[in-house]
Amino acid sequence: MNLLASRSSRMKASEIRELLKLLDQPDIISFAGGIPDPALFPAEAIRDAYASVLGGAEAGAALQYQVSEGFLPLRRWLAGQMGKLGVACDEANIFITSGSQQALDYLGKLFVSPGDTALVTWPTYLGALQAFNAYEPRYDRLTPAGGNMTPDAYRAAAAANGGKVKFAYLVPDFANPTGNTLDRQQREAVLDLAGELDIAVIEDAAYRALRYDGDGVPPILALDCIRSGGIDKARTLYC
Ligand SMILES: Cc1ncc(COP(=O)(O)O)c(C=O)c1O
């Protein structure tokens, strides 16, 4: 008896969970997962923040149900942070999720019908593949540094597999697992391709803030806002 939905056949045991098992072995320092040093966690600041909220007049509101877009003051603050990255927006453009991982799951659900094509770099972040896999996509290869296929070739391959190209997923800053950062020209080329295919771009900026030296490259979303005329016309979703 198999009662599970057909999509569950694409849900494999999590490789990430297997990687995390190595953490319990005291003789291994694992570089396989992006595991921060626990000594760096701001435990005290987080404890103080919880105490301040739960000890004050807003405790009830903090524990109450909220609109699903997320806490308005946080969305406003994030809109301000995006402004500093060259993305003019307001809280209406911000949606709070439980980490990037939940956003990737939502985006898979939003875009992918079974057989549709997602363009990804090879290799790419396996957590993203796991999030998308549940929605039964096929993958095609994005090569921002080495020259992509033509839009027609991507379109034809997607159609031959019974679907459409829906989005390009990239980690443009210090990519997982390669560490590679796309320069401005490569980011523009991704937008050119996305424009010709009329698809979305999912920019997973998980490591953008981890730059130690050198100048940052503008987010793909910022470049998209320049060419499209603003956030509401942009095709890029920034996680
Ligand atoms: C590229 C990339 N995106 C997203 C995530 C997950 O992010 P979050 O912890 O915000 O769900 C990771 C974690 O390793 C990652 O490497």
Short mmCIF file of all heavy atoms in Angstrom, two decimals, residues 114-179:
data_model
loop_
_atom_site.label_atom_id
_atom_site.label_comp_id
_atom_site.label_asym_id
_atom_site.label_seq_id
_atom_site.Cartn_x
_atom_site.Cartn_y
_atom_site.Cartn_z
N PRO A 114 4.99 19.92 -12.31
CA PRO A 114 5.83 18.77 -12.64
C PRO A 114 6.32 18.85 -14.09
O PRO A 114 5.55 19.12 -15.00
CB PRO A 114 4.90 17.57 -12.43
CG PRO A 114 3.92 18.05 -11.39
CD PRO A 114 3.71 19.52 -11.69
N GLY A 115 7.63 18.64 -14.29
CA GLY A 115 8.21 18.66 -15.64
C GLY A 115 8.75 20.01 -16.07
O GLY A 115 9.43 20.12 -17.08
N ASP A 116 8.43 21.09 -15.32
CA ASP A 116 9.00 22.39 -15.65
C ASP A 116 10.52 22.38 -15.40
O ASP A 116 11.03 21.54 -14.67
CB ASP A 116 8.38 23.50 -14.78
CG ASP A 116 7.04 23.97 -15.32
OD1 ASP A 116 6.75 23.73 -16.50
OD2 ASP A 116 6.28 24.59 -14.54
N THR A 117 11.19 23.36 -16.00
CA THR A 117 12.65 23.41 -15.90
C THR A 117 13.11 24.54 -14.99
O THR A 117 12.61 25.66 -15.09
CB THR A 117 13.26 23.60 -17.31
OG1 THR A 117 13.01 22.41 -18.07
CG2 THR A 117 14.76 23.85 -17.25
N ALA A 118 14.05 24.22 -14.11
CA ALA A 118 14.73 25.23 -13.29
C ALA A 118 16.18 25.27 -13.76
O ALA A 118 16.81 24.22 -13.94
CB ALA A 118 14.67 24.84 -11.81
N LEU A 119 16.71 26.47 -14.00
CA LEU A 119 18.11 26.60 -14.41
C LEU A 119 18.95 26.81 -13.16
O LEU A 119 18.67 27.69 -12.35
CB LEU A 119 18.29 27.80 -15.35
CG LEU A 119 17.40 27.82 -16.60
CD1 LEU A 119 17.78 29.02 -17.48
CD2 LEU A 119 17.53 26.52 -17.37
N VAL A 120 19.98 25.98 -13.01
CA VAL A 120 20.85 26.07 -11.83
C VAL A 120 22.30 25.90 -12.27
O VAL A 120 22.58 25.26 -13.28
CB VAL A 120 20.50 24.98 -10.77
CG1 VAL A 120 19.09 25.17 -10.22
CG2 VAL A 120 20.65 23.57 -11.34
N THR A 121 23.22 26.47 -11.50
CA THR A 121 24.63 26.21 -11.76
C THR A 121 24.93 24.78 -11.29
O THR A 121 24.24 24.25 -10.42
CB THR A 121 25.54 27.19 -11.00
OG1 THR A 121 25.22 27.11 -9.60
CG2 THR A 121 25.32 28.61 -11.47
N TRP A 122 25.94 24.16 -11.89
CA TRP A 122 26.32 22.78 -11.50
C TRP A 122 27.74 22.83 -10.98
O TRP A 122 28.61 23.16 -11.79
CB TRP A 122 26.23 21.82 -12.68
CG TRP A 122 24.81 21.55 -13.10
CD1 TRP A 122 23.71 22.29 -12.82
CD2 TRP A 122 24.37 20.46 -13.91
NE1 TRP A 122 22.61 21.74 -13.40
CE2 TRP A 122 22.98 20.62 -14.08
CE3 TRP A 122 25.01 19.38 -14.52
CZ2 TRP A 122 22.21 19.73 -14.83
CZ3 TRP A 122 24.26 18.51 -15.27
CH2 TRP A 122 22.87 18.68 -15.42
N PRO A 123 28.07 22.54 -9.75
CA PRO A 123 27.13 22.16 -8.69
C PRO A 123 26.42 23.38 -8.13
O PRO A 123 26.83 24.51 -8.37
CB PRO A 123 28.06 21.57 -7.62
CG PRO A 123 29.33 22.34 -7.77
CD PRO A 123 29.47 22.60 -9.25
N THR A 124 25.35 23.12 -7.38
CA THR A 124 24.68 24.22 -6.68
C THR A 124 24.33 23.76 -5.28
O THR A 124 24.61 22.62 -4.89
CB THR A 124 23.44 24.70 -7.46
OG1 THR A 124 22.98 25.92 -6.88
CG2 THR A 124 22.30 23.68 -7.39
N TYR A 125 23.72 24.66 -4.51
CA TYR A 125 23.38 24.39 -3.12
C TYR A 125 22.37 23.25 -3.05
O TYR A 125 21.27 23.35 -3.58
CB TYR A 125 22.83 25.67 -2.49
CG TYR A 125 22.22 25.49 -1.14
CD1 TYR A 125 22.89 24.80 -0.12
CD2 TYR A 125 20.97 26.02 -0.84
CE1 TYR A 125 22.33 24.64 1.13
CE2 TYR A 125 20.41 25.87 0.41
CZ TYR A 125 21.08 25.17 1.38
OH TYR A 125 20.52 25.02 2.62
N LEU A 126 22.74 22.15 -2.39
CA LEU A 126 21.87 20.98 -2.45
C LEU A 126 20.58 21.18 -1.66
O LEU A 126 19.57 20.54 -1.95
CB LEU A 126 22.62 19.71 -2.06
CG LEU A 126 23.31 19.59 -0.71
CD1 LEU A 126 22.33 19.13 0.34
CD2 LEU A 126 24.44 18.58 -0.83
N GLY A 127 20.59 22.09 -0.69
CA GLY A 127 19.34 22.38 0.04
C GLY A 127 18.30 23.00 -0.87
O GLY A 127 17.09 22.77 -0.70
N ALA A 128 18.76 23.79 -1.85
CA ALA A 128 17.81 24.37 -2.82
C ALA A 128 17.23 23.26 -3.68
O ALA A 128 16.02 23.22 -3.93
CB ALA A 128 18.52 25.42 -3.68
N LEU A 129 18.09 22.34 -4.14
CA LEU A 129 17.58 21.24 -4.97
C LEU A 129 16.56 20.42 -4.19
O LEU A 129 15.53 20.02 -4.72
CB LEU A 129 18.75 20.34 -5.43
CG LEU A 129 19.79 21.03 -6.31
CD1 LEU A 129 20.90 20.06 -6.68
CD2 LEU A 129 19.15 21.59 -7.58
N GLN A 130 16.85 20.21 -2.90
CA GLN A 130 15.91 19.43 -2.09
C GLN A 130 14.57 20.17 -1.95
O GLN A 130 13.51 19.55 -2.00
CB GLN A 130 16.49 19.16 -0.71
CG GLN A 130 17.48 18.02 -0.75
CD GLN A 130 18.20 17.82 0.57
OE1 GLN A 130 18.14 18.67 1.45
NE2 GLN A 130 18.88 16.72 0.69
N ALA A 131 14.64 21.50 -1.78
CA ALA A 131 13.40 22.27 -1.65
C ALA A 131 12.60 22.20 -2.96
O ALA A 131 11.39 21.99 -2.95
CB ALA A 131 13.71 23.72 -1.30
N PHE A 132 13.29 22.35 -4.10
CA PHE A 132 12.58 22.36 -5.39
C PHE A 132 12.09 20.96 -5.78
O PHE A 132 11.04 20.82 -6.41
CB PHE A 132 13.49 22.89 -6.52
CG PHE A 132 14.01 24.29 -6.28
CD1 PHE A 132 15.27 24.67 -6.74
CD2 PHE A 132 13.25 25.23 -5.61
CE1 PHE A 132 15.76 25.94 -6.54
CE2 PHE A 132 13.74 26.53 -5.39
CZ PHE A 132 14.99 26.87 -5.87
N ASN A 133 12.89 19.92 -5.43
CA ASN A 133 12.60 18.56 -5.90
C ASN A 133 11.17 18.12 -5.61
O ASN A 133 10.57 17.38 -6.39
CB ASN A 133 13.55 17.55 -5.24
CG ASN A 133 14.89 17.49 -5.96
OD1 ASN A 133 15.03 18.07 -7.04
ND2 ASN A 133 15.86 16.80 -5.37
N ALA A 134 10.63 18.57 -4.46
CA ALA A 134 9.28 18.13 -4.09
C ALA A 134 8.27 18.52 -5.15
O ALA A 134 7.21 17.90 -5.25
CB ALA A 134 8.90 18.75 -2.75
N TYR A 135 8.59 19.56 -5.96
CA TYR A 135 7.62 20.04 -6.96
C TYR A 135 7.90 19.47 -8.35
O TYR A 135 7.33 19.89 -9.34
CB TYR A 135 7.58 21.57 -6.93
CG TYR A 135 7.27 22.04 -5.53
CD1 TYR A 135 8.26 22.52 -4.69
CD2 TYR A 135 5.99 21.86 -5.01
CE1 TYR A 135 7.99 22.86 -3.37
CE2 TYR A 135 5.70 22.18 -3.68
CZ TYR A 135 6.71 22.68 -2.87
OH TYR A 135 6.43 22.99 -1.57
N GLU A 136 8.84 18.51 -8.41
CA GLU A 136 9.10 17.68 -9.59
C GLU A 136 9.56 18.46 -10.82
O GLU A 136 8.98 18.34 -11.90
CB GLU A 136 7.86 16.82 -9.91
CG GLU A 136 7.43 15.99 -8.71
CD GLU A 136 6.17 15.18 -8.95
OE1 GLU A 136 6.18 14.35 -9.88
OE2 GLU A 136 5.18 15.37 -8.23
N PRO A 137 10.60 19.29 -10.65
CA PRO A 137 11.15 19.98 -11.82
C PRO A 137 12.16 19.09 -12.56
O PRO A 137 12.54 18.03 -12.07
CB PRO A 137 11.92 21.14 -11.18
CG PRO A 137 12.41 20.58 -9.88
CD PRO A 137 11.35 19.58 -9.42
N ARG A 138 12.58 19.53 -13.76
CA ARG A 138 13.82 19.02 -14.32
C ARG A 138 14.80 20.19 -14.22
O ARG A 138 14.39 21.34 -14.08
CB ARG A 138 13.66 18.53 -15.77
CG ARG A 138 13.73 19.58 -16.81
CD ARG A 138 13.64 19.02 -18.21
NE ARG A 138 14.94 18.95 -18.85
CZ ARG A 138 15.52 19.99 -19.46
NH1 ARG A 138 14.96 21.18 -19.48
NH2 ARG A 138 16.68 19.84 -20.05
N TYR A 139 16.09 19.87 -14.25
CA TYR A 139 17.10 20.93 -14.13
C TYR A 139 17.87 21.05 -15.42
O TYR A 139 18.12 20.07 -16.12
CB TYR A 139 18.07 20.60 -12.97
CG TYR A 139 17.37 20.60 -11.62
CD1 TYR A 139 17.05 19.40 -10.99
CD2 TYR A 139 17.01 21.79 -11.00
CE1 TYR A 139 16.40 19.38 -9.77
CE2 TYR A 139 16.35 21.79 -9.78
CZ TYR A 139 16.05 20.58 -9.17
OH TYR A 139 15.40 20.58 -7.96
N ASP A 140 18.23 22.28 -15.74
CA ASP A 140 19.16 22.49 -16.85
C ASP A 140 20.29 23.36 -16.33
O ASP A 140 20.16 24.03 -15.31
CB ASP A 140 18.45 23.13 -18.04
CG ASP A 140 19.03 22.66 -19.37
OD1 ASP A 140 20.22 22.25 -19.38
OD2 ASP A 140 18.32 22.70 -20.39
N ARG A 141 21.39 23.35 -17.07
CA ARG A 141 22.63 23.90 -16.55
C ARG A 141 22.82 25.36 -16.93
O ARG A 141 22.75 25.71 -18.10
CB ARG A 141 23.80 23.07 -17.11
CG ARG A 141 25.12 23.37 -16.50
CD ARG A 141 26.21 22.59 -17.23
NE ARG A 141 26.12 21.15 -17.00
CZ ARG A 141 27.12 20.43 -16.47
NH1 ARG A 141 28.25 21.00 -16.13
NH2 ARG A 141 26.97 19.14 -16.31
N LEU A 142 23.09 26.15 -15.89
CA LEU A 142 23.40 27.57 -16.07
C LEU A 142 24.91 27.71 -15.90
O LEU A 142 25.47 27.17 -14.96
CB LEU A 142 22.68 28.31 -14.96
CG LEU A 142 22.37 29.78 -15.06
CD1 LEU A 142 21.49 30.04 -16.26
CD2 LEU A 142 21.64 30.22 -13.79
N THR A 143 25.57 28.39 -16.84
CA THR A 143 27.03 28.54 -16.77
C THR A 143 27.38 30.03 -16.89
O THR A 143 27.91 30.45 -17.92
CB THR A 143 27.72 27.76 -17.92
OG1 THR A 143 26.82 26.79 -18.44
CG2 THR A 143 28.97 27.08 -17.48
N PRO A 144 27.12 30.81 -15.84
CA PRO A 144 27.29 32.27 -15.97
C PRO A 144 28.72 32.66 -16.35
O PRO A 144 28.91 33.65 -17.06
CB PRO A 144 26.94 32.81 -14.59
CG PRO A 144 26.23 31.72 -13.89
CD PRO A 144 26.68 30.43 -14.50
N ALA A 145 29.71 31.88 -15.92
CA ALA A 145 31.09 32.25 -16.22
C ALA A 145 31.54 31.74 -17.58
O ALA A 145 32.38 32.35 -18.25
CB ALA A 145 32.03 31.73 -15.14
N GLY A 146 30.97 30.63 -18.04
CA GLY A 146 31.50 29.99 -19.25
C GLY A 146 30.61 30.09 -20.46
O GLY A 146 30.86 29.44 -21.47
N GLY A 147 29.55 30.89 -20.41
CA GLY A 147 28.66 31.00 -21.58
C GLY A 147 27.49 30.05 -21.43
O GLY A 147 27.67 28.85 -21.27
N ASN A 148 26.29 30.62 -21.45
CA ASN A 148 25.08 29.79 -21.32
C ASN A 148 24.68 29.23 -22.68
O ASN A 148 25.20 29.64 -23.71
CB ASN A 148 23.94 30.64 -20.76
CG ASN A 148 24.20 31.03 -19.31
OD1 ASN A 148 24.47 30.17 -18.47
ND2 ASN A 148 24.15 32.31 -19.03
N MET A 149 23.71 28.31 -22.68
CA MET A 149 23.08 27.88 -23.92
C MET A 149 22.25 29.05 -24.45
O MET A 149 22.00 30.01 -23.73
CB MET A 149 22.14 26.68 -23.67
CG MET A 149 22.88 25.40 -23.42
SD MET A 149 21.90 23.97 -22.85
CE MET A 149 20.22 24.24 -23.25
N THR A 150 21.81 28.98 -25.68
CA THR A 150 20.95 30.06 -26.20
C THR A 150 19.56 29.92 -25.57
O THR A 150 19.15 28.82 -25.19
CB THR A 150 20.80 29.97 -27.73
OG1 THR A 150 20.12 28.74 -28.04
CG2 THR A 150 22.15 30.02 -28.42
N PRO A 151 18.81 31.04 -25.49
CA PRO A 151 17.45 30.95 -24.96
C PRO A 151 16.63 29.90 -25.71
O PRO A 151 15.89 29.13 -25.09
CB PRO A 151 16.90 32.36 -25.18
CG PRO A 151 18.11 33.23 -25.19
CD PRO A 151 19.21 32.42 -25.77
N ASP A 152 16.78 29.86 -27.05
CA ASP A 152 15.99 28.88 -27.81
C ASP A 152 16.33 27.45 -27.43
O ASP A 152 15.45 26.59 -27.36
CB ASP A 152 16.23 29.07 -29.32
CG ASP A 152 15.39 30.22 -29.86
OD1 ASP A 152 14.44 30.63 -29.15
OD2 ASP A 152 15.71 30.73 -30.96
N ALA A 153 17.62 27.19 -27.17
CA ALA A 153 18.03 25.83 -26.80
C ALA A 153 17.45 25.45 -25.43
O ALA A 153 16.96 24.33 -25.24
CB ALA A 153 19.55 25.72 -26.79
N TYR A 154 17.48 26.38 -24.48
CA TYR A 154 16.86 26.10 -23.17
C TYR A 154 15.37 25.85 -23.32
O TYR A 154 14.80 24.92 -22.75
CB TYR A 154 17.04 27.28 -22.21
CG TYR A 154 18.41 27.40 -21.59
CD1 TYR A 154 19.17 28.55 -21.75
CD2 TYR A 154 18.92 26.37 -20.78
CE1 TYR A 154 20.41 28.69 -21.15
CE2 TYR A 154 20.16 26.50 -20.18
CZ TYR A 154 20.90 27.66 -20.36
OH TYR A 154 22.13 27.78 -19.77
N ARG A 155 14.73 26.70 -24.15
CA ARG A 155 13.28 26.59 -24.33
C ARG A 155 12.91 25.26 -24.98
O ARG A 155 11.98 24.58 -24.55
CB ARG A 155 12.80 27.75 -25.23
CG ARG A 155 11.65 28.54 -24.63
CD ARG A 155 11.06 29.54 -25.59
NE ARG A 155 12.03 30.31 -26.34
CZ ARG A 155 12.40 31.56 -26.05
NH1 ARG A 155 11.89 32.17 -25.02
NH2 ARG A 155 13.29 32.19 -26.79
N ALA A 156 13.69 24.88 -26.00
CA ALA A 156 13.39 23.64 -26.72
C ALA A 156 13.57 22.43 -25.81
O ALA A 156 12.76 21.50 -25.81
CB ALA A 156 14.30 23.53 -27.95
N ALA A 157 14.66 22.44 -25.00
CA ALA A 157 14.89 21.31 -24.10
C ALA A 157 13.78 21.21 -23.06
O ALA A 157 13.32 20.10 -22.72
CB ALA A 157 16.24 21.47 -23.40
N ALA A 158 13.30 22.36 -22.58
CA ALA A 158 12.22 22.34 -21.58
C ALA A 158 10.95 21.79 -22.21
O ALA A 158 10.26 20.95 -21.63
CB ALA A 158 11.98 23.75 -21.03
N ALA A 159 10.65 22.25 -23.45
CA ALA A 159 9.43 21.80 -24.12
C ALA A 159 9.50 20.31 -24.41
O ALA A 159 8.50 19.59 -24.25
CB ALA A 159 9.22 22.59 -25.41
N ALA A 160 10.69 19.83 -24.80
CA ALA A 160 10.85 18.40 -25.10
C ALA A 160 10.57 17.56 -23.86
O ALA A 160 10.22 16.38 -23.96
CB ALA A 160 12.26 18.12 -25.63
N ASN A 161 10.74 18.16 -22.68
CA ASN A 161 10.45 17.44 -21.43
C ASN A 161 9.06 17.76 -20.89
O ASN A 161 8.76 17.48 -19.74
CB ASN A 161 11.52 17.76 -20.39
CG ASN A 161 12.80 16.99 -20.69
OD1 ASN A 161 12.95 15.84 -20.31
ND2 ASN A 161 13.71 17.62 -21.42
N GLY A 162 8.27 18.43 -21.70
CA GLY A 162 6.86 18.62 -21.34
C GLY A 162 6.58 19.80 -20.42
O GLY A 162 5.52 19.86 -19.80
N GLY A 163 7.53 20.75 -20.31
CA GLY A 163 7.28 21.90 -19.43
C GLY A 163 7.90 23.16 -19.98
O GLY A 163 8.28 23.23 -21.15
N LYS A 164 7.98 24.18 -19.12
CA LYS A 164 8.56 25.47 -19.50
C LYS A 164 9.72 25.79 -18.56
O LYS A 164 9.74 25.31 -17.42
CB LYS A 164 7.52 26.57 -19.30
CG LYS A 164 6.39 26.59 -20.25
CD LYS A 164 5.56 27.83 -19.95
CE LYS A 164 4.26 27.80 -20.72
NZ LYS A 164 3.24 28.63 -20.11
N VAL A 165 10.62 26.66 -19.02
CA VAL A 165 11.65 27.17 -18.10
C VAL A 165 10.97 28.19 -17.20
O VAL A 165 10.29 29.10 -17.69
CB VAL A 165 12.81 27.84 -18.86
CG1 VAL A 165 13.93 28.18 -17.87
CG2 VAL A 165 13.34 26.97 -19.98
N LYS A 166 11.12 28.04 -15.88
CA LYS A 166 10.40 28.91 -14.94
C LYS A 166 11.32 29.91 -14.24
O LYS A 166 10.94 31.03 -13.99
CB LYS A 166 9.66 28.07 -13.90
CG LYS A 166 8.47 27.31 -14.48
CD LYS A 166 7.42 28.27 -14.99
CE LYS A 166 6.19 27.59 -15.56
NZ LYS A 166 5.33 26.96 -14.57
N PHE A 167 12.50 29.46 -13.83
CA PHE A 167 13.38 30.40 -13.14
C PHE A 167 14.83 29.94 -13.24
O PHE A 167 15.12 28.79 -13.59
CB PHE A 167 12.97 30.60 -11.67
CG PHE A 167 13.00 29.35 -10.81
CD1 PHE A 167 14.20 28.80 -10.37
CD2 PHE A 167 11.81 28.75 -10.42
CE1 PHE A 167 14.21 27.66 -9.57
CE2 PHE A 167 11.81 27.61 -9.62
CZ PHE A 167 13.02 27.07 -9.19
N ALA A 168 15.73 30.90 -12.94
CA ALA A 168 17.15 30.60 -12.75
C ALA A 168 17.45 30.81 -11.28
O ALA A 168 17.09 31.85 -10.71
CB ALA A 168 18.00 31.54 -13.60
N TYR A 169 18.05 29.81 -10.64
CA TYR A 169 18.42 29.92 -9.22
C TYR A 169 19.93 30.07 -9.12
O TYR A 169 20.68 29.26 -9.68
CB TYR A 169 17.96 28.67 -8.45
CG TYR A 169 18.61 28.55 -7.09
CD1 TYR A 169 18.12 29.28 -6.01
CD2 TYR A 169 19.73 27.75 -6.88
CE1 TYR A 169 18.72 29.21 -4.76
CE2 TYR A 169 20.35 27.67 -5.63
CZ TYR A 169 19.84 28.41 -4.58
OH TYR A 169 20.45 28.35 -3.35
N LEU A 170 20.37 31.10 -8.41
CA LEU A 170 21.83 31.32 -8.27
C LEU A 170 22.19 31.77 -6.86
O LEU A 170 21.40 32.44 -6.20
CB LEU A 170 22.31 32.46 -9.17
CG LEU A 170 22.16 32.35 -10.64
CD1 LEU A 170 20.96 33.13 -11.09
CD2 LEU A 170 23.40 32.90 -11.30
N VAL A 171 23.42 31.42 -6.47
CA VAL A 171 24.02 31.96 -5.24
C VAL A 171 25.19 32.82 -5.73
O VAL A 171 26.30 32.33 -5.92
CB VAL A 171 24.53 30.83 -4.32
CG1 VAL A 171 25.03 31.40 -2.99
CG2 VAL A 171 23.44 29.79 -4.08
N PRO A 172 24.96 34.13 -6.02
CA PRO A 172 25.98 34.90 -6.73
C PRO A 172 27.17 35.35 -5.88
O PRO A 172 28.19 35.72 -6.43
CB PRO A 172 25.21 36.13 -7.25
CG PRO A 172 24.00 36.22 -6.42
CD PRO A 172 23.69 34.86 -5.89
N ASP A 173 27.02 35.30 -4.55
CA ASP A 173 28.13 35.71 -3.68
C ASP A 173 28.65 34.52 -2.89
O ASP A 173 27.92 33.92 -2.10
CB ASP A 173 27.64 36.76 -2.67
CG ASP A 173 27.01 37.96 -3.35
OD1 ASP A 173 27.77 38.78 -3.88
OD2 ASP A 173 25.77 38.05 -3.36
N PHE A 174 29.92 34.17 -3.11
CA PHE A 174 30.56 33.10 -2.34
C PHE A 174 29.67 31.85 -2.34
O PHE A 174 29.24 31.36 -1.29
CB PHE A 174 30.86 33.56 -0.90
CG PHE A 174 31.44 34.94 -0.84
CD1 PHE A 174 30.74 35.99 -0.26
CD2 PHE A 174 32.67 35.21 -1.41
CE1 PHE A 174 31.26 37.28 -0.24
CE2 PHE A 174 33.20 36.49 -1.39
CZ PHE A 174 32.49 37.53 -0.80
N ALA A 175 29.41 31.36 -3.55
CA ALA A 175 28.42 30.30 -3.74
C ALA A 175 28.73 29.07 -2.91
O ALA A 175 29.89 28.72 -2.69
CB ALA A 175 28.37 29.91 -5.22
N ASN A 176 27.70 28.41 -2.49
CA ASN A 176 27.78 27.09 -1.88
C ASN A 176 27.53 26.10 -3.02
O ASN A 176 26.50 26.19 -3.69
CB ASN A 176 26.68 26.98 -0.81
CG ASN A 176 26.63 25.64 -0.13
OD1 ASN A 176 27.23 24.69 -0.59
ND2 ASN A 176 25.88 25.57 0.97
N PRO A 177 28.43 25.16 -3.33
CA PRO A 177 29.65 24.83 -2.60
C PRO A 177 30.93 25.39 -3.22
O PRO A 177 32.01 25.08 -2.70
CB PRO A 177 29.66 23.30 -2.70
CG PRO A 177 29.13 23.03 -4.08
CD PRO A 177 28.11 24.13 -4.34
N THR A 178 30.90 26.14 -4.28
CA THR A 178 32.16 26.46 -4.99
C THR A 178 32.91 27.65 -4.39
O THR A 178 34.11 27.81 -4.62
CB THR A 178 31.87 26.81 -6.48
OG1 THR A 178 30.96 27.92 -6.49
CG2 THR A 178 31.26 25.65 -7.22
N GLY A 179 32.23 28.53 -3.66
CA GLY A 179 32.87 29.74 -3.16
C GLY A 179 32.94 30.85 -4.21
O GLY A 179 33.43 31.95 -3.93
#
